[in-house]
Amino acid sequence: MRKIMISLLVLLIASTISVGATPDYAKWGALAVKETQKRYQADILDYKHLGRTDLTSQKSEERFKLWLVNKEGKEFGVYVYIEFDPSNDKLQRIRFSESAR
């Protein structure tokens, strides 16, 4: 009985920790996916956060790579660069760059 209680407690703690762990880039990742779908009219197969760069005190950039497949079945990658003001989270610019891999 004690082992069961300890197992349940560990499971409860682990689930509580994972629920509160939303990454800082999640908002920008959702925007990258939405804008890429709108621009390319393709299905997104995969998504990777490449990191954040602080360009100036009033400009940061989140970088993502998305893997897409279009209606003809062609797969290709798209890099998405999202520039924003980190002091107020205001979007400044989104850039796209296609990649063969």
Side-chain angles (χ1 to χ4, degrees):
M1 182 68 161
R2 185 175 177 170
K3 287 182 182 179
I4 294 172
M5 292 299 287
I6 291 172
S7 297
L8 289 174
L9 183 59
V10 168
L11 184 61
L12 178 65
I13 291 170
S15 66
T16 304
I17 291 170
S18 65
V19 169
T22 302
D24 292 339
Y25 62 83
K27 168 185 175 180
W28 303 115
L31 181 63
V33 167
K34 178 182 162 193
E35 293 300 316
T36 302
Q37 283 178 320
K38 188 186 320 180
R39 181 182 180 111
Y40 290 96
Q41 298 294 307
D43 293 327
I44 296 175
L45 302 175
D46 202 4
Y47 154 104
K48 182 175 184 179
H49 177 245
L50 300 175
R52 176 185 286 194
T53 303
D54 295 323
L55 304 172
T56 68
S57 62
Q58 297 167 346
K59 187 186 291 186
S60 291
E61 179 180 78
E62 291 285 3
R63 297 179 321 278
F64 302 91
K65 183 171 185 184
L66 286 74
W67 196 251
L68 289 72
V69 61
N70 65 16
K71 290 175 177 57
E72 292 79 35
K74 177 187 170 201
E75 292 186 19
F76 61 101
V78 174
Y79 289 98
V80 182
Y81 306 92
I82 299 179
E83 292 180 15
F84 64 98
D85 185 336
S87 67
N88 58 17
D89 268 359
K90 293 245 180 185
L91 176 66
Q92 294 177 346
R93 177 168 77 149
I94 300 177
R95 293 180 294 123
F96 300 89
S97 175
E98 289 184 34
S99 162
R101 278 268 168 225

